[in-house]
DNA sequence: CGCCGAGTTGAACTGAATCAAGAAACGTGG
DNA sequence: CCACGTTTCTTGATTCAGTTCAACTCGGCG
């Protein structure tokens, strides 16, 4: 039950839960292994889970006019979901693709709502998660508004070098909002200095 | 006390509060009038309020390399705050400027935290607000990833024509992530059709 | 071996930025 | 109410960042 320790550690970083509530919460978790290339959700489905990534890596992306655009990556220790759909209960525009084999612990929407109803702390965790997701999105939006493609790449490289090194040019470029060819050129020109 | 009715209606749209908790909440609200051109917060300050706009209009923007970039507009009936700073307790990168004379009802950070501690419902409202803010940001981020400037303009025009008509080219263009000159051209070319 | 997808490079093209100038709208004080 | 300066909006000419399309390289793998 190593995965449960990891997920508790992840929760403790947000807000420590007393043992009783933790036990309650664990009872809702469903464990699963999945293979690289599988999907946690596809466009058109309503997201009914929040997954904890005990292992593996994922990519959240959507398709517009036949082209893929990456919104987010998640790695071991992260929570993953098509959050917009999970909140709004509308069909997801987002696909979540496994970039590696993964182990997940997942909680269902209804189970989480029950947990919210029972526990103020659960409600609070929900708020803190929503707030942190908001912050992440706003930062990226501000970057899109005020930075060039090269500046966005250099900033990401600075703040998150592991992420940059682990991902393919194709995936990384679609996250940065440029074509793969452009990222390739950006890399060359900024490594020259 | 007309403003209090408006703000309660706004809250009721999110989650109805029982009278007792509502009274509790109201005791924390501070009413104020401010003039066009004033600021609710400036860069560098930590945001200590959530304002309810009983009247008026505001613009959330930040400055990078001497240039202004608009993140959001708010109008009568909206809640306004430098949310990132409010959550993170870090100095704000965001300015909030009054585009018109305004009346606000404001709650302080500490008062809101007290309210959260006392009331599960308060906690829930906090979560619902954070979630809706998240959705707004994600949508805009997806637009920046997948749409051209013209497509972003046309989409905004379609979804929010009043907003488009009320704002100056300067403010609107900095919200759409283009130069005023470009928005002017986009408008001309798309009105020809 | 030869194929295949991922990454890089080159050349032409394009959407949007920049710079500059003129026109329209706005506020302020006389 | 007009005259003034100031800001905002528009238009044109030029430049530039990033796209597109096409060709080529490289490493993995049947």
């Amino acid at each position: 039950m190593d995965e449960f320790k990891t997920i508790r550690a992840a929760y403790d970083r947000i807000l420590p839960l007393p043992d009783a509530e933790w036990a309650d919460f664990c009872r809702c978790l469903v464990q699963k292994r999945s293979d690289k290339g599988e999907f946690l959700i596809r466009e058109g489905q309503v997201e009914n889970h929040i997954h904890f990534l005990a292992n593996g890596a994922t990519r959240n992306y959507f398709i517009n006019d036949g082209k893929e655009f990456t919104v987010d990556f998640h790695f071991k220790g992260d929570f993953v979901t098509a959050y917009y759909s999970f909140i709004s209960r509308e069909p997801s525009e987002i696909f979540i693709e496994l970039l590696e084999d993964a182990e997940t612990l997942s909680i269902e929407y209804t189970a989480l709502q029950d947990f919210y109803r029972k526990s103020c702390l659960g409600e609070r965790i929900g708020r803190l998660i929503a707030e942190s997701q908001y912050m992440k999105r706003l930062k990226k939006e501000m970057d899109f508004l005020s930075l060039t493609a090269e500046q966005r790449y250099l900033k990401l490289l600075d703040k998150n070098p592991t992420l940059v090194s682990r991902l393919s040019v194709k995936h990384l470029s679609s996250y940065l909002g440029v074509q793969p060819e452009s990222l390739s050129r950006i890399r060359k020109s900024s490594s020259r200095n």
Side-chain angles (χ1 to χ4, degrees), chain A:
Chain A
M1 290 297 130
D2 215 26
E3 292 82 10
F4 283 86
K5 273 193 203 149
T6 332
I7 186 173
R8 180 150 200 194
Y11 263 104
D12 282 350
R13 253 175 280 132
I14 306 172
L15 183 75
L17 273 182
D19 286 344
E21 267 162 313
W22 180 249
D24 234 31
F25 181 76
C26 279
R27 236 168 279 130
C28 308
L29 294 176
V30 177
Q31 202 168 354
K32 201 185 166 197
R33 309 182 136 275
S34 319
D35 293 335
K36 174 174 175 172
E38 287 184 38
F39 288 81
L40 295 180
I41 187 174
R42 287 169 183 279
E43 180 190 38
Q45 306 173 330
V46 173
E47 176 62 278
N48 276 316
H49 299 89
I50 293 183
H51 307 279
F52 177 75
L53 256 192
N55 256 307
T58 64
R59 176 169 82 101
N60 287 33
Y61 70 94
F62 65 100
I63 295 185
N64 190 312
D65 201 16
K67 275 160 262 167
E68 294 187 2
F69 300 92
T70 301
V71 171
D72 230 331
F73 300 101
H74 291 99
F75 302 97
K76 178 178 176 152
D78 291 343
F79 292 95
V80 196
T81 182
Y83 198 41
Y84 192 105
S85 169
F86 186 84
I87 293 166
S88 68
R89 315 308 297 149
E90 292 168 13
S92 178
E93 292 182 53
I94 300 287
F95 296 78
I96 306 181
E97 174 197 22
L98 293 185
L99 301 177
E100 308 170 359
D101 294 354
E103 292 172 78
T104 50
L105 292 167
S106 309
I107 185 168
E108 274 212 19
Y109 180 80
T110 50
L112 190 66
Q113 299 304 315
D114 285 348
F115 186 66
Y116 281 169
R117 233 167 282 131
K118 273 189 254 166
S119 161
C120 259
L121 281 180
E123 196 71 70
R124 172 165 298 186
I125 288 189
R127 173 171 61 85
L128 294 172
I129 290 177
E131 288 177 353
S132 76
Q133 293 300 312
Y134 167 84
M135 293 197 278
K136 198 168 172 180
R137 299 274 73 95
L138 179 66
K139 276 200 182 169
K140 236 189 127 188
E141 183 182 332
M142 288 169 71
D143 289 346
F144 273 116
L145 270 176
S146 66
L147 303 179
T148 64
E150 177 165 26
Q151 290 170 328
R152 291 199 296 277
Y153 169 71
L154 291 173
K155 184 169 179 177
L156 189 66
L157 188 62
D158 180 49
K159 305 257 156 143
N160 218 331
T162 38
L163 186 144
V164 171
S165 64
R166 280 181 72 172
L167 298 169
S168 66
V169 169
K170 187 183 161 197
H171 289 161
L172 191 58
S173 63
S174 84
Y175 176 79
L176 289 167
V178 294
Q179 295 310 116
E181 295 93 329
S182 297
L183 179 55
S184 183
R185 283 183 246 272
I186 286 169
R187 282 186 143 154
K188 193 167 70 154
S189 84
S190 57
S191 69
R192 273 206 311 268
N193 314 326

